[in-house]
């Protein structure tokens, strides 16, 4: 009991010399651990006379409190010292300009789609949408594509499976946005059947389509914009005027050469491919096919609920992906779908 002050002083000195948390815990064990000097005194209280035990116990507890207070104070000092070292190592100069945060932007194909929609809206076209999972009837039959047509081959089309893993022949991923034209015609007729004169149909249908094809200029998923104008006395001359005017405005060139080359599509008759000429560069003077078009086949009009004896119409379909490649000088379609920020950031 005569050594209590010496024990407290020694503990405080050892704690002060501890250079880290581990060393501090070692010093604590020498005084407050199971074999510590203060713990030994507490065990010896039972050997003292009853009258001396109370005073001795109070003195030991007071010494213990002083040691624990010194221990806590040293822990706080070490913690603050460690924090100061960390702050010094991670110093921040608040006078430096902040790092600018980059902003996202629209995909180049999205930019092209918005531009196409804007140009056609300016001449009175509506924009329509439809399901990407289509019925065989809307995707093929209603578009005058018979059951034995090559386009229905599983090599060209993504069909879906039923619960038993069998191919469903009535449901598929749409191969073009033309089914939207059928749905739009049917809805248009239903909305205006009470009128004596049906308003004209002028609509484009942009969206994703799917075909089993993949190379530098083709992708299993790509985009299309289909257009439809149906009314009384709509002619091929109207078709040429609308398409040629759109292409010249899209490419911002009044001198753009556009030609219509005879072709075949089951849903139009007569039909044509639409070509544009390269105006400069190594390919100057050469032609590139960018779209297809034609007068809507009477069978397609009937499937849309429209009388082909009274109404005529034209349709066209183009690939926004290809238009984007031409507009921005991109030579590989796959760049659009790889998500490489080095490529995409050029269009922001």
């Amino acid at each position: 009991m005569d050594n209590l002050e010496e024990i407290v002083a020694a503990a405080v000195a050892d704690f002060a010399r501890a250079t880290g948390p581990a060393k501090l815990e070692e010093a604590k064990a020498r005084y407050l651990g199971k074999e510590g000097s203060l713990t030994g005194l507490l065990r010896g209280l039972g050997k003292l006379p009853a009258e001396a035990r109370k005073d001795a116990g109070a003195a030991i507890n007071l010494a213990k409190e002083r040691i624990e207070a010194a221990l806590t104070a040293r822990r706080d000092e070490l913690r603050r010292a460690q924090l100061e070292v960390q702050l010094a190592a991670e110093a921040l100069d608040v006078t430096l300009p902040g790092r600018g945060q980059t902003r996202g932007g629209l995909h180049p194909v999205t930019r092209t789609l918005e531009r196409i929609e804007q140009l056609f809206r300016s001449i009175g076209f509506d924009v329509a949408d439809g399901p990407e999972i289509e019925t065989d009837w809307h995707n093929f039959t209603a578009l005058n594509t018979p059951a034995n047509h090559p386009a229905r081959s599983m090599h060209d089309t993504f069909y879906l499976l039923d619960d038993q893993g069998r191919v469903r022949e009535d449901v598929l991923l749409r191969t073009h946005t033309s089914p939207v034209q059928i749905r739009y015609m049917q809805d248009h007729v239903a909305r205006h059947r009470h009128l004596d004169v049906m308003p004209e149909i002028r609509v484009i249908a942009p969206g994703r389509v799917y075909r089993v094809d993949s190379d530098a200029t083709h992708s299993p998923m790509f985009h299309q914009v289909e257009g439809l104008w149906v009314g009384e006395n709509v002619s091929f001359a109207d078709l040429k005027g609308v398409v040629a005017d759109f292409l010249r405005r899209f490419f911002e060139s009044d001198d753009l050469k556009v030609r219509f080359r005879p072709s075949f599509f089951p849903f139009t008759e007569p039909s044509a491919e639409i070509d544009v000429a390269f105006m400069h560069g190594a390919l100057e003077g050469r032609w590139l096919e960018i779209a297809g078009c034609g007068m809507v086949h009477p069978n397609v009009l009937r499937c849309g609920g429209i009388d082909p004896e009274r109404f005529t119409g034209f349709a066209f379909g183009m690939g926004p992906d290809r238009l984007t490649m031409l507009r921005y000088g991109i030579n590989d379609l796959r760049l659009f779908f790889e998500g490489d920020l080095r490529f995409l950031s050029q269009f922001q």
Side-chain angles (χ1 to χ4, degrees):
M1 296 299 298
D2 296 336
N3 298 329
L4 277 178
E5 286 299 328
E6 296 178 6
I7 293 173
V8 172
V12 172
D14 283 352
F15 295 163
R17 287 192 294 269
T19 57
K23 294 294 185 180
L24 186 60
E25 292 304 314
E26 291 177 4
K28 171 191 171 183
R30 288 197 291 271
Y31 301 96
L32 300 177
K34 291 183 178 181
E35 304 299 329
S37 54
L38 202 63
T39 306
L41 292 177
L42 287 171
R43 287 202 200 99
L45 287 176
K47 301 176 182 180
L48 296 177
E51 60 273 11
R53 192 178 303 159
K54 181 178 178 180
D55 294 338
I60 294 173
N61 284 331
L62 181 59
K64 182 179 179 182
E65 290 176 2
R66 292 168 61 190
I67 291 174
E68 288 177 342
L71 177 65
T72 301
R74 184 56 179 163
R75 279 177 176 160
D76 291 341
E77 289 177 6
L78 291 175
R79 192 177 296 113
R80 284 194 298 269
Q82 183 179 9
L83 180 59
E84 290 175 0
V85 171
Q86 182 179 357
L87 290 176
E90 300 175 2
L92 175 65
D93 186 349
V94 296
T95 65
L96 290 174
R99 295 187 180 93
Q101 291 186 347
T102 58
R103 297 179 60 186
L106 295 177
H107 192 281
V109 175
T110 302
R111 289 178 176 272
T112 297
L113 286 168
E114 288 190 348
R115 180 173 175 80
I116 292 172
E117 291 178 14
Q118 178 187 14
L119 291 175
F120 276 107
R121 284 185 190 276
S122 69
I123 57 173
F125 277 71
D126 292 328
V127 178
D129 193 14
E132 295 180 18
I133 299 177
E134 260 299 0
T135 66
D136 178 271
W137 189 86
H138 285 94
N139 195 80
F140 290 128
T141 305
L143 294 167
N144 201 39
T145 304
N148 60 351
H149 194 279
R152 292 178 178 238
S153 169
M154 291 184 63
H155 297 291
D156 298 321
T157 307
F158 289 103
Y159 285 92
L160 304 182
L161 303 179
D162 61 18
D163 295 339
Q164 307 299 321
R166 294 169 299 194
V167 175
R168 290 187 58 177
E169 297 183 359
D170 60 329
V171 180
L172 64 149
L173 297 182
R174 66 183 182 187
T175 59
H176 44 192
T177 58
S178 299
V180 180
Q181 298 179 8
I182 297 295
R183 294 179 180 274
Y184 192 91
M185 283 191 286
Q186 292 175 329
D187 291 343
H188 185 84
V189 170
R191 285 198 309 271
H192 300 99
R193 72 171 67 253
H194 64 285
L195 300 177
D196 294 333
V197 179
M198 185 185 74
E200 287 189 339
I201 295 174
R202 277 180 284 180
V203 64
I204 61 170
R208 289 183 294 265
V209 297
Y210 306 85
R211 296 180 191 175
V212 185
D213 205 354
S214 182
D215 55 45
T217 58
H218 298 85
S219 169
M221 185 284 295
F222 56 101
H223 299 83
Q224 260 195 354
V225 174
E226 303 274 349
L228 177 70
W229 188 337
V230 176
E232 296 184 359
N233 302 317
V234 176
S235 68
F236 204 97
D238 298 317
L239 165 61
K240 294 178 68 175
V242 167
V243 172
D245 178 69
F246 161 75
L247 291 173
R248 292 187 176 111
R249 293 171 67 192
F250 180 85
F251 289 109
E252 301 178 1
S253 173
D254 293 334
D255 299 326
L256 183 70
K257 295 180 181 179
V258 182
R259 75 178 182 185
F260 293 78
R261 178 166 39 86
S263 185
F264 168 78
F265 302 109
F267 29 81
T268 54
E269 180 61 38
S271 304
E273 302 282 1
I274 304 170
D275 303 334
V276 296
F278 289 96
M279 304 300 292
H280 50 77
L283 300 177
E284 182 177 358
R286 295 180 59 179
W287 294 90
L288 177 68
E289 173 195 329
I290 61 169
C293 65
M295 300 302 294
V296 181
H297 197 287
N299 290 342
V300 176
L301 291 175
R302 291 190 187 96
C303 289
I306 294 175
D307 181 5
E309 299 297 327
R310 181 178 178 185
F311 297 96
T312 57
F314 66 76
F316 56 85
M318 62 186 70
D321 302 320
R322 176 165 290 186
L323 292 178
T324 306
M325 295 174 71
L326 291 172
R327 181 171 174 78
Y328 294 112
I330 299 166
N331 60 5
D332 194 326
L333 180 71
R334 291 168 292 194
L335 291 170
F336 291 146
F337 310 115
E338 292 175 348
D340 191 330
L341 292 178
R342 295 172 299 176
F343 170 74
L344 296 176
S345 61
Q346 300 176 66
F347 305 94
Q348 310 313 318

